[in-house]
Amino acid sequence: MSAKPVIYLKDYAPPSYLIETIDLKFELEETQTHVFSTLRVKRNPDAVVSTELELHGHESLQLRSIKLNGQPLESSAYHRETESLLISDLPDAFELEIETEINPKENTALEGLYLSDGMYCTQCEAEGFRRITFYPDRPDVMATFTTTLVADQKAYPILLSNGNPVEKGVLDDGRHWVKWQDPFLKPAYLFALVAGDLACLEDHFTTQSGRKVTLQIFAESKDLEKLDHAMTALKNSMRWDEQVYGREYDLDIYMIVAVDFFNMGAMENKGLNIFNTSCVLAHPRTTTDMGFQRVESVVAHEYFHNWSGNRVTCRDWFQLSLKEGFTVFRDQCFSADMHSAVVQRVDEVGILRTAQFAEDAGPMAHPVRPASFIEISNFYTLTVYEKGAAVVRMLHTLLGPETFRKGSDLYFERHDGQAVTTDDFVQAMADVSGRDLTQFKRWYSQAGTPRLTVTDRYDAAAQRYELTVKQSCPATPESKQKQPFHMPISVGLLRADGTSFVLAEGGTSMLLELTDAEQTFIFEKIDEQPLPSLLRNFSAPVKLSYPYTDEQLAFLLSHDEDGFNRWDAGQQLALRLINQLIDDYQQQKDLALPEHFLATWRLLIKEAPQDPAMAALLMTLPSEAYISELAEQIDPIAIHQVRQFIKRELASKLANLWLELYQQHDTDVAYSAEPKEMARRSLRNLCLGYLMAVDNPAHLALAEQQFETADNMTDQFAALVNLAHSEFNDSAHTALDSFLTQWQHESLVMNQWLMVQATDPKPGALMRVMQLLDHPVYDPRNPNKIRSVIGAFCNQNAVNFHAEDGSGYRFLADHILKLDAQNPQIAARLLTPLTRWKRYTPNRQAMMQAQLQRIMDSGKLSGDVYEVVSKSL
Ligand code: B3K
Ligand code: ZN
């Protein structure tokens, strides 16, 4: 059982005391770091009930001394509970001095202060600061921080914290110190420090008001050449936030530090972002195009937090989406402006529709603003991030860009320096638009993915077209009955010649506002039977159904002016075939690909050169994860076999076309990271994938040649994946071995090498995965390595993870039990595939459930793992 209680949003109460300033001094030693903290405290005039002072403090903290206004505090004046220190009988204003001792070296949870490859770094969001010192570790307590770091000068020449450096000095025992001051109010979760031997790339940015800001990106010196892309992304983000949101950077210095041991992607600490190396280092030789885009979007995301998150922060952790949903929306728009907007939209909807919809349909489903939790770390979810972004996007769509901008201006001005709620955000949007957004707010309080069923009627004589939309939403753990949502549905109507009708306000798309459980929308002066294009650009996070025929979907695929809906029509067409073939497969019938499907693909290939980026999307079959999410009952083997069958058929029946397209998109020009070149590479590598789906030595030779001659990681890695996963390549190990030899000293490339093997769908993958865990490049304490092997196997190798004998489930449970003691956040995160047990075939359900039960029965679990397992069973 977990000792941790459930925390409810409805129980929120303002803090009894406020902290005006905190002055910190760290004497950094690997196993015994001393933290001296001086707090200026005053009673909160807005507190509803005035209780004792609650300072959070993890059980690992050793309290060395505590003084009130300079006098040692009597031990009867305070007492310690598991997660806090409570002090009673305090005056209205006072100073508190606390000395604690911590052990960064033993900190394997990677929360609070820890060592990453010998360098000190911190991670305080959400509740890591309480592992550093006793403090009101809650986001509505905001203070100004001064931080002095003292450490050995030779081993730790660089000492960083939030804000601006104000003083430094050298001590006569070989240590030195630097004092940092952050003038902005901030909650403890935004505190950071770094100490290490680091190289730095420096640049400058002049803000729109003419202030010069120093930009510094720190990494190990061997990685200095991999920082240019992040620097460019940072400058682009700074410019973009000025242009699109009118937001300027506010300190004289902005720092990013790359660390190899990190529980997630990156962290937006004020003025001192700490990044997982995987989200900041990029070089064409070692990083794929996907990696480049990830770096760009994470750099942007963390930078945008400076306003949406830091200047205006969350009142409590239930409001997490206030900063995360909004910031994801901001980084999505940034990426759309930097690259192809359609490709960006397809990618983000892909994540939402597969992973977030699955979360919303599972035992951990929760509203964008959860109403309760045991462990907040479990709520950094796709719902809070991606659905939260979709909700902000709907506001943007409903209000239009100008009014939305007025709303964000008002929000930032009204709440600068405050800790607020999602209601405050929506209120700013309501105030500038004059609209009542009360119903809209249900998106924050009701979980679940709404279903829309659309029917239509055309009256030729009256030239009138009607669309009727019904909405419903399945029950989720927090509520059975759902009230209708308010959502924008963007529609277009296509004529038989493929052009779109001009609708109200002169455009070819129109916004319908759905508010009722059932609503009919009427279009006048429609002079021929139209074909509706619904939910353009995925204007709401819902599952929509309309009774299209295959011919109508094919028509949308070739004619819809909405790029997203063109792509989606192709996906729906493929899904129909896939579902049909899954039935055939389960009934042990022969599988066959219909001629009209091949004809569609011939056309796609023919037209591909006109828009390679779009073509690569259109010719990618729906993923196994998406097919699974839509399935009534998931049969992973059938899904895999059918998808492979279609791929092989397309490959063999259209082999010459793939080869021609592959060769057409070859180039002698040197590598470039321009979007056009990225698109060319993605189309060419898609062709390689099809070529490698058939048994043909000539195709194998092509892949080998590409592997050996590629001047960039995108092409080399695409060749490696194909060589390693091919059923027809007897010497997969040759490519894997040579890749290992070539890149063994590049940790991030080794993650990719581990991942290719962990995701190999061929039989025997689990045995190979177990061997990888003993390989010298694997490190059982490094989250990136754990994700590359265990995470990749359980999430991206469905056929093997779901093996009939239950070996995959046992393997995952074994590792969760081991990991929980070491790093509960990572352990809880890895559990996800087991939590979906109810979606699988009955034999699998039983085996998955048994492993969850085994974890539950194992004794002492962290709150993180306990919460996920207990909610899943
Ligand atoms: N705010 C951090 C996430 C912190 C996760 C803590 N378990 C990164 C981000 O979303 O920008
Ligand atoms: Zn974020």
Side-chain angles (χ1 to χ4, degrees), residues 268 301-302 305 323-324 327 385:
E268 70 265 23
H301 179 97
E302 307 311 333
H305 267 316
K323 72 178 179 81
E324 296 305 348
T327 305
Y385 277 65

Side-chain angles (χ1 to χ4, degrees), residues 689-701:
Y690 281 102
L691 290 168
M692 288 290 286
V694 288
D695 187 3
N696 183 331
H699 296 176
L700 202 57

